[in-house]
Amino acid sequence: MSAEVRVAVAGASGYAGGELLRLLLGHPTVSIGAVTAHSSAGEPLAAHQPHLLPLADRVLVETSAETLAGHDVVFLALPHGQSHALAAQLPDDVVVVDCGADHRLTDALAWDRFYGGQHPGSWPYGLPELPGGRDALRGARRVAVPGCYPTGASLALAPAVAADLVEPSVVVVAASGTSGAGRAPKPHLLAAQVLGSASAYGVGGVHRHTPEIAQNLSAAAGTAVSVSFTPLLVPMSRGILTTASAPLRAGVDLAAARTVYEKAYADEPFVRVLPEGQWPETSSTVGANTALLQLAVDEVAGRLVVVSAIDNLTKGTAGAAVQCMNLALGLPETTGLPVVGVAP
Amino acid sequence: MSAEVRVAVAGASGYAGGELLRLLLGHPTVSIGAVTAHSSAGEPLAAHQPHLLPLADRVLVETSAETLAGHDVVFLALPHGQSHALAAQLPDDVVVVDCGADHRLTDALAWDRFYGGQHPGSWPYGLPELPGGRDALRGARRVAVPGCYPTGASLALAPAVAADLVEPSVVVVAASGTSGAGRAPKPHLLAAQVLGSASAYGVGGVHRHTPEIAQNLSAAAGTAVSVSFTPLLVPMSRGILTTASAPLRAGVDLAAARTVYEKAYADEPFVRVLPEGQWPETSSTVGANTALLQLAVDEVAGRLVVVSAIDNLTKGTAGAAVQCMNLALGLPETTGLPVVGVAP
Amino acid sequence: MSAEVRVAVAGASGYAGGELLRLLLGHPTVSIGAVTAHSSAGEPLAAHQPHLLPLADRVLVETSAETLAGHDVVFLALPHGQSHALAAQLPDDVVVVDCGADHRLTDALAWDRFYGGQHPGSWPYGLPELPGGRDALRGARRVAVPGCYPTGASLALAPAVAADLVEPSVVVVAASGTSGAGRAPKPHLLAAQVLGSASAYGVGGVHRHTPEIAQNLSAAAGTAVSVSFTPLLVPMSRGILTTASAPLRAGVDLAAARTVYEKAYADEPFVRVLPEGQWPETSSTVGANTALLQLAVDEVAGRLVVVSAIDNLTKGTAGAAVQCMNLALGLPETTGLPVVGVAP
Amino acid sequence: MSAEVRVAVAGASGYAGGELLRLLLGHPTVSIGAVTAHSSAGEPLAAHQPHLLPLADRVLVETSAETLAGHDVVFLALPHGQSHALAAQLPDDVVVVDCGADHRLTDALAWDRFYGGQHPGSWPYGLPELPGGRDALRGARRVAVPGCYPTGASLALAPAVAADLVEPSVVVVAASGTSGAGRAPKPHLLAAQVLGSASAYGVGGVHRHTPEIAQNLSAAAGTAVSVSFTPLLVPMSRGILTTASAPLRAGVDLAAARTVYEKAYADEPFVRVLPEGQWPETSSTVGANTALLQLAVDEVAGRLVVVSAIDNLTKGTAGAAVQCMNLALGLPETTGLPVVGVAP
């Protein structure tokens, strides 16, 4: 790991960009090159990311192919729709890790329905813990980092649908902190609105992460999986607590389900099926690239219920991005990635 | 409304007791008599309820049949299992409104499974907005106030199951503030644990409110309704945001569903189906005896999704209790009950 | 109180406007006329104030002298600098209650230094609890509602400086919820920024409320009072907790200080000096027009320390405005104003 | 740094203990030995510290001289009053780092007044950034880690009093998250009490950290410094935002004050005087061993105002403890200590 990897972060003024930089500062073989932004170009990075003390002297430069040139790895943490054109201008041998949605969906119809316009195509999908998910990422030069909700939901349900523990019809309700909504100031994200309040949004299957969850679970299941997804906004900064359930196949009990999950994640460094009786809390994952899971079988209702906790900015975005960079570069997958949360 | 109603509140040191007193202070025909507690008896009420300025000179007295005697209405806000024996010592013509669980369940087997021990029997159930729910409450002398989660879930789903819009198999995920867990100090309810964290508990059908939700929905449906219920703890003091869904019957669309809901709640003073496009936020209900609802039809997943917001302490507990007192006494049902939330 | 008072609220889409409407809905002799806004004119009020169910059918109209005409009372909850010109267009016999800063400062130099431009002059100052403060408000036709910080600080310190308990040199540090910063979306007010963080701003005497605090205290003292004021932003929606201290005059002990405070506020319906040992919490004042105070004497440091709690939107803004309207109209001062907070 | 240092943590079930373990897991030359507790002995560490995944298989053992034997370093994170007797049973050549208060105060009278009973004597004081503070810590075998408030206040004011920028009479108001109050469940620390509320406690010079602040500042000043200290509880888990001020000496302006502070902390790896215009937020320090400072001169009030932000559990407790261990063992002082906060 002696050779230094030079990385750039586009969108460094936002939350995903800040988390990327936080993690990259702790990565032993990385050196941080350009930090770019658009409307904040020319401003000190510290005005936007005051917690990144070692980068306090950095200045944001304009996001462009020129400023991003000359790096081994380019992380894109841009508003949806901006990655495609920019990435096209970067050399093929540069590792481009896109935290945006542009290249996640393989289905052009789903793209059109949820994002609209020309389908920009798909890239290797950055959730190595999905069945077979790691293969396409080793040595990849383009990576689409999953959405935060799809990460929580897919890790919670993929083993169940892959092992046919449940019918391919799942209900996902996920409570998220507000950093997942980004840093652009919007009235409903004001602290005074969010503090003391819980709300749902994108209800009825209209949230853009719905087809991504369905894509992941259908691939895992080998058959189309129906997904009812409802995201909730709750008064915290980070974290997604996902509650996922589906009708149990006949004869599946908790022991069988646990065996499937434990086997599925036995070798995963970042996914942990908790001991029985211990339920995930998002606080345990704050700042860590981990996903914590627990299962229950509701015999009366006949459903498997799985709960997962992640930090939307870490395993849900920037941590996954670094994990994928490691795979792309042939580094040990866990390099530079914390597994200990900052709690309480 | 000239005759004064003299009321007592047992369990006045807790959150439900405090909310009862807050509402009763605003009730025009009530005078507040005994305020009782057990371990805090002898202490000033203000040490526990500093927000109740008009009662700042009150002292908590021991909860007993003696201290509760001589009132027209007795509210019981006691730990589960303590109401039954105490109520048995109160005269039959006193209105006893029990905020505890002792007399909610009609099914002795469900009681035994979820609470254990001898079934104390059931009282008129204090959710007047359920189909036919108001009748048994008019003039009642014993009332069992619903649990907070069952209130949110039942209001969200009863019209759908009653009108057969959906299959009788529902999934409920409800995010609650922590006041619902009461005021007894427990490590997992400490602010440092709760702030910045979301978690699930009672997963897999084991939460005690599960059979109560099933009881309500089955009665509304006229057939057994299967309930998968998962409660979440999120970092707020008050409020429950319930996400409820069920498989749509063939041919049901959003317009049809809205019509059913709007009709079901057309004359209800405390339940509001919001205009299309407006989704409930718990902050809108803080301190108010209201339930706000919105619906979506997920055509791809084939599910009706209903979201409801209540304040767990008001419509979820103490407001419902006062509403039931009004019905029991023949007062206008809305007397003394706020419909305007304290937001932001 | 039989004659109905017709009121308008300008700036009804903001936090102060929403709180005014919430209180006015509970006022027995008021009918709510025009609700106005500027950039949101034409939108449903419910899109901005979903908690005001009884006004759910109202539409915001453009703020102008025309739309505000024909009311007995006009409340202005506008950005600073907009009240003066608008008020000048309203008839002299209309009661205009300005929640903005335009007419608070009597000193043109202070105005110029902290706000800049032409001094719009001063109106009767809406803090009746100040020494002699009530006189100018009875029958007034123009009222300048105090800033939220000056309310907390002035109530905490006016008795001490008036009675010469302390030297005229005070230090005020006040922790505020973020609703005090208004509803215009700004990056530093996003929930993700505010949750889990405390910060100071306007440090070093540059906050605009500094001269207002000095004006109030100097008037109470009869001599110039030096004010060091530091506001803090903490992760809550409502509330200001003010810590105020000053060097004790020789011979002043706690008993003497308490006597002064108790006497100063003995007849005040909205200010309460708490019993010894009980310290103010902002939660006790949520939604209430109250100020709670407690005192300590630090003998080692030789300082009187006073802590006050208010709700910045109620006693700190909208409640004070309604209280002043009551005085202006000759209504009982407490009409329609809650004294019970919504806690927890 | 090749030789491994074997450490034990006593009080591993609490917040300070958990933070110690979190940091020690990231320390390159440390191996974690015994993790001990008292009432939780025998329970899995994971039941108390679910975020410490690498220690998920550890079991808490009883805190005793026996279980703590055989380690190079013993961290004590015990309730006040328990460290002294325990430490006396540990060999003299073991590095004992006490996060409790037992050995912080040098003045037996102050000890008796604020803690009561026999003065246990003082140990080298673990705030290396104080003038001369580092010397006594190099090679020390006993270290008293400062209180969290004294750390924030002393770093904010020591340069000012040492350089005689101000009169020796300071006012400190510090807003803290609730993890500083520990993990023992107490009613006023319940989330429902804390959320949405700010309060003061220990007002009037009675908080136990008051003499510790005075001790530090008096030592820095070379003369007795009078301290008025008021701690606030605000709704966050971690962080202390300290506002400190004092009367300016004649002729001191901002430039002079900044020069003093920048010089005082020029070589400190963990203390940063922010650029002009940037004010500290506690979120920037979450999980980091840093203190961020900013200054203002209030010319009208004639006071220097300094604001500091720390994480009470990191620089305020466990980070300082590890920093002191590094000094005691002759390791580079910054080993294993994060300087990047987890924000937002």
Side-chain angles (χ1 to χ4, degrees):
Chain A
M1 296 201 295
S2 56
E4 197 168 76
V5 177
R6 190 156 173 83
V7 305
V9 173
S13 60
Y15 290 142
E19 185 73 350
L20 278 164
L21 291 169
R22 185 180 74 83
L23 295 170
L24 292 168
L25 281 167
H27 195 288
T29 58
V30 148
S31 95
I32 296 174
V35 288
T36 83
H38 178 56
S39 60
S40 304
E43 298 177 9
L45 178 65
H48 300 268
Q49 313 287 7
H51 58 302
L52 303 177
L53 296 195
L55 301 176
D57 59 347
R58 294 296 188 93
V59 173
L60 291 161
V61 298
E62 178 68 34
T63 301
S64 72
E66 288 68 38
T67 57
L68 297 174
H71 299 86
D72 305 305
V73 181
V74 173
F75 291 97
L76 303 179
L78 303 172
H80 296 321
Q82 301 189 1
S83 299
H84 182 65
L86 189 62
Q89 305 175 58
L90 298 174
D92 288 350
D93 62 342
V94 169
V95 176
V96 180
V97 183
D98 183 11
C99 295
D102 291 20
H103 305 93
R104 292 175 189 157
L105 294 185
T106 56
D107 179 356
L109 286 179
W111 175 267
D112 183 60
R113 184 161 165 231
F114 284 88
Y115 293 92
Q118 178 75 27
H119 182 220
S122 68
W123 289 353
Y125 188 76
L127 195 52
E129 295 87 356
L130 286 182
R134 195 164 270 110
D135 300 340
L137 296 165
R138 294 192 207 278
R141 286 301 170 263
R142 295 291 184 273
V143 177
V145 176
C148 49
Y149 288 120
T151 297
S154 302
L155 293 175
L157 285 170
V161 297
D164 203 34
L165 299 177
V166 295
E167 295 176 24
S169 171
V170 306
V171 175
V172 175
V173 179
S176 176
T178 66
S179 62
R183 198 166 191 167
K186 297 173 187 167
H188 76 287
L189 297 177
L190 284 175
Q193 297 297 115
V194 168
L195 283 156
S197 197
S199 58
Y201 67 106
V203 185
V206 301
H207 191 283
R208 287 174 164 182
H209 286 176
T210 310
E212 191 180 337
I213 299 171
Q215 172 177 299
N216 293 346
L217 296 183
S218 298
T223 185
V225 175
S226 160
V227 174
S228 166
F229 170 53
T230 308
L232 312 180
L233 210 59
V234 298
M236 57 192 195
S237 175
R238 289 173 176 240
I240 295 180
L241 198 282
T242 303
T243 302
S245 70
L248 277 169
R249 294 288 190 195
V252 176
D253 61 11
L254 180 59
R258 283 192 68 88
T259 300
V260 164
Y261 274 75
E262 285 168 356
K263 190 173 164 193
Y265 294 128
D267 298 327
E268 290 298 340
F270 297 121
V271 183
R272 183 77 59 101
V273 182
L274 296 175
E276 283 193 65
Q278 189 185 340
W279 287 87
E281 307 167 84
T282 59
S283 56
S284 295
T285 68
V286 170
N289 196 47
T290 52
L292 306 181
L293 272 73
Q294 186 54 283
L295 295 77
V297 160
D298 184 336
E299 291 177 5
V300 174
R303 294 183 79 89
L304 176 71
V305 187
V306 189
V307 175
S308 74
I310 61 167
D311 182 325
N312 58 300
L313 290 180
T314 321
K315 183 56 182 161
T317 305
V322 172
Q323 185 179 354
C324 291
M325 175 194 77
N326 288 339
L327 283 166
L329 296 177
L331 298 170
E333 188 173 337
T334 58
T335 310
L337 287 167
V339 295
V340 177
V342 179
Chain B
M1 296 202 296
S2 58
E4 196 168 77
V5 178
R6 190 159 172 82
V7 306
V9 173
S13 61
Y15 289 142
E19 184 74 350
L20 278 164
L21 291 168
R22 185 181 75 83
L23 294 171
L24 292 167
L25 281 167
H27 194 288
T29 58
V30 148
S31 95
I32 296 173
V35 290
T36 83
H38 178 56
S39 60
S40 304
E43 299 178 8
L45 178 64
H48 300 268
Q49 314 287 7
H51 58 303
L52 303 177
L53 295 195
L55 301 177
D57 61 345
R58 295 296 188 91
V59 173
L60 292 160
V61 298
E62 178 69 34
T63 301
S64 71
E66 288 69 38
T67 58
L68 297 174
H71 298 86
D72 305 305
V73 181
V74 174
F75 292 97
L76 303 179
L78 304 172
H80 296 321
Q82 301 189 3
S83 299
H84 182 65
L86 188 62
Q89 303 176 59
L90 299 173
D92 288 350
D93 62 343
V94 169
V95 176
V96 180
V97 183
D98 183 10
C99 296
D102 291 21
H103 306 93
R104 293 175 190 158
L105 294 185
T106 56
D107 179 356
L109 285 178
W111 175 266
D112 183 59
R113 183 160 166 233
F114 284 88
Y115 292 92
Q118 179 75 29
H119 182 219
S122 67
W123 288 354
Y125 188 77
L127 194 54
E129 294 87 355
L130 286 182
R134 195 164 271 109
D135 300 339
L137 295 166
R138 295 191 206 281
R141 286 301 171 261
R142 296 290 184 273
V143 176
V145 176
C148 49
Y149 287 120
T151 297
S154 302
L155 293 174
L157 286 170
V161 297
D164 203 35
L165 299 177
V166 296
E167 296 177 24
S169 171
V170 306
V171 174
V172 175
V173 179
S176 176
T178 66
S179 62
R183 199 167 189 166
K186 296 172 188 168
H188 75 287
L189 298 175
L190 284 175
Q193 297 298 115
V194 168
L195 282 155
S197 197
S199 57
Y201 66 106
V203 186
V206 301
H207 191 283
R208 287 174 163 181
H209 286 175
T210 310
E212 192 179 337
I213 299 171
Q215 173 177 297
N216 293 347
L217 297 183
S218 298
T223 186
V225 174
S226 161
V227 174
S228 167
F229 171 52
T230 308
L232 311 180
L233 210 60
V234 299
M236 58 192 195
S237 175
R238 289 172 175 241
I240 295 180
L241 197 284
T242 303
T243 301
S245 70
L248 277 169
R249 293 288 190 197
V252 177
D253 61 10
L254 181 59
R258 284 193 67 88
T259 300
V260 164
Y261 273 75
E262 284 167 358
K263 190 173 167 193
Y265 294 127
D267 298 327
E268 290 298 340
F270 297 121
V271 183
R272 182 77 59 100
V273 181
L274 296 175
E276 283 193 65
Q278 190 185 339
W279 286 87
E281 307 168 84
T282 60
S283 56
S284 295
T285 68
V286 170
N289 197 46
T290 51
L292 306 181
L293 272 72
Q294 186 53 283
L295 296 76
V297 160
D298 183 336
E299 291 177 5
V300 174
R303 294 182 79 90
L304 176 71
V305 187
V306 189
V307 175
S308 73
I310 61 168
D311 183 326
N312 59 300
L313 291 180
T314 321
K315 183 57 181 162
T317 306
V322 173
Q323 186 180 353
C324 291
M325 177 195 76
N326 288 340
L327 283 167
L329 296 176
L331 297 170
E333 189 174 336
T334 59
T335 311
L337 287 168
V339 294
V340 178
V342 179
Chain C
M1 295 200 295
S2 57
E4 196 168 79
V5 177
R6 189 159 174 82
V7 306
V9 174
S13 60
Y15 289 142
E19 184 73 350
L20 278 163
L21 291 169
R22 185 180 75 83
L23 294 171
L24 293 167
L25 281 167
H27 194 288
T29 57
V30 148
S31 94
I32 297 173
V35 289
T36 83
H38 179 54
S39 60
S40 304
E43 298 178 9
L45 179 65
H48 300 267
Q49 314 287 7
H51 59 302
L52 304 177
L53 295 195
L55 302 176
D57 60 345
R58 294 297 189 91
V59 173
L60 292 161
V61 299
E62 179 67 35
T63 301
S64 72
E66 289 68 38
T67 57
L68 296 174
H71 298 86
D72 305 305
V73 181
V74 173
F75 292 97
L76 303 178
L78 303 172
H80 296 321
Q82 302 189 3
S83 300
H84 182 64
L86 188 62
Q89 304 175 59
L90 298 174
D92 287 350
D93 63 343
V94 170
V95 176
V96 180
V97 183
D98 183 10
C99 296
D102 291 20
H103 305 93
R104 293 174 190 159
L105 294 184
T106 56
D107 180 355
L109 284 179
W111 175 267
D112 182 60
R113 184 163 163 230
F114 283 88
Y115 293 93
Q118 179 75 28
H119 182 219
S122 68
W123 289 354
Y125 189 77
L127 195 53
E129 295 87 354
L130 286 181
R134 194 164 273 109
D135 300 340
L137 296 166
R138 294 191 206 279
R141 287 299 172 262
R142 295 290 185 274
V143 177
V145 176
C148 49
Y149 287 121
T151 297
S154 302
L155 293 174
L157 285 169
V161 297
D164 203 35
L165 299 176
V166 295
E167 297 176 23
S169 171
V170 306
V171 175
V172 175
V173 180
S176 176
T178 66
S179 62
R183 198 166 190 167
K186 296 173 188 168
H188 75 288
L189 298 176
L190 284 175
Q193 296 298 114
V194 168
L195 282 156
S197 197
S199 57
Y201 66 107
V203 186
V206 300
H207 192 283
R208 287 173 163 181
H209 286 175
T210 310
E212 191 180 337
I213 299 170
Q215 173 177 297
N216 293 347
L217 296 182
S218 298
T223 186
V225 174
S226 160
V227 174
S228 166
F229 170 54
T230 308
L232 311 180
L233 209 59
V234 299
M236 57 192 194
S237 175
R238 289 171 175 243
I240 295 180
L241 197 282
T242 303
T243 301
S245 70
L248 277 169
R249 294 289 191 196
V252 177
D253 61 11
L254 181 59
R258 284 193 66 88
T259 301
V260 165
Y261 274 75
E262 285 167 358
K263 190 174 166 192
Y265 294 127
D267 298 327
E268 290 299 339
F270 296 121
V271 183
R272 183 77 59 100
V273 181
L274 296 176
E276 283 194 65
Q278 189 185 341
W279 286 87
E281 307 168 82
T282 60
S283 56
S284 295
T285 68
V286 170
N289 197 47
T290 50
L292 306 181
L293 272 73
Q294 185 54 283
L295 296 77
V297 160
D298 184 336
E299 291 177 3
V300 174
R303 294 183 79 89
L304 176 70
V305 187
V306 188
V307 176
S308 73
I310 62 168
D311 183 325
N312 58 300
L313 291 180
T314 321
K315 183 58 181 159
T317 306
V322 173
Q323 186 180 354
C324 291
M325 176 195 76
N326 288 339
L327 283 165
L329 296 177
L331 297 170
E333 188 174 336
T334 59
T335 310
L337 287 167
V339 295
V340 177
V342 179
Chain D
M1 295 201 295
S2 57
E4 196 168 77
V5 177
R6 190 159 172 81
V7 306
V9 173
S13 60
Y15 290 142
E19 185 73 350
L20 278 164
L21 291 169
R22 184 180 75 83
L23 295 170
L24 292 167
L25 281 167
H27 195 289
T29 58
V30 149
S31 93
I32 297 173
V35 289
T36 83
H38 179 54
S39 61
S40 303
E43 297 177 8
L45 178 66
H48 301 268
Q49 314 288 6
H51 58 302
L52 303 177
L53 296 195
L55 301 176
D57 60 346
R58 294 296 188 92
V59 174
L60 292 160
V61 299
E62 178 68 34
T63 301
S64 72
E66 289 69 37
T67 58
L68 297 174
H71 299 86
D72 304 305
V73 181
V74 173
F75 292 96
L76 303 179
L78 303 172
H80 296 320
Q82 300 189 4
S83 299
H84 182 65
L86 189 61
Q89 303 175 59
L90 298 174
D92 288 350
D93 62 343
V94 170
V95 175
V96 180
V97 182
D98 183 11
C99 295
D102 291 21
H103 305 94
R104 293 175 190 158
L105 294 184
T106 56
D107 178 356
L109 285 177
W111 174 267
D112 183 59
R113 186 164 163 229
F114 283 88
Y115 293 93
Q118 179 77 28
H119 182 219
S122 67
W123 289 354
Y125 188 76
L127 195 53
E129 294 88 355
L130 287 181
R134 195 163 270 111
D135 300 339
L137 295 166
R138 295 190 206 279
R141 286 301 171 261
R142 294 290 185 273
V143 176
V145 176
C148 49
Y149 288 120
T151 296
S154 302
L155 293 175
L157 286 169
V161 298
D164 204 35
L165 299 177
V166 294
E167 296 176 25
S169 171
V170 306
V171 175
V172 176
V173 179
S176 176
T178 66
S179 62
R183 198 166 189 167
K186 297 172 187 167
H188 75 288
L189 297 177
L190 284 175
Q193 297 297 115
V194 168
L195 283 156
S197 197
S199 57
Y201 67 106
V203 185
V206 301
H207 191 283
R208 286 173 164 182
H209 286 175
T210 309
E212 192 181 335
I213 298 171
Q215 173 177 297
N216 293 347
L217 297 182
S218 299
T223 185
V225 174
S226 161
V227 175
S228 167
F229 170 53
T230 308
L232 312 180
L233 210 58
V234 299
M236 57 191 194
S237 175
R238 289 173 175 239
I240 295 180
L241 197 282
T242 302
T243 301
S245 70
L248 276 169
R249 294 289 190 195
V252 176
D253 60 11
L254 181 59
R258 283 193 68 88
T259 300
V260 164
Y261 274 75
E262 285 167 357
K263 190 173 166 193
Y265 294 128
D267 298 327
E268 290 298 340
F270 297 121
V271 183
R272 182 77 59 101
V273 182
L274 295 175
E276 282 194 65
Q278 189 185 341
W279 287 87
E281 306 167 84
T282 60
S283 56
S284 296
T285 68
V286 170
N289 197 46
T290 51
L292 306 181
L293 272 74
Q294 186 54 284
L295 295 77
V297 160
D298 184 335
E299 291 177 4
V300 175
R303 294 182 79 89
L304 176 72
V305 187
V306 189
V307 175
S308 73
I310 61 167
D311 182 326
N312 58 301
L313 291 180
T314 320
K315 183 57 182 161
T317 306
V322 172
Q323 186 180 354
C324 291
M325 176 195 78
N326 288 340
L327 284 166
L329 296 176
L331 297 170
E333 189 173 337
T334 58
T335 310
L337 287 167
V339 295
V340 177
V342 179

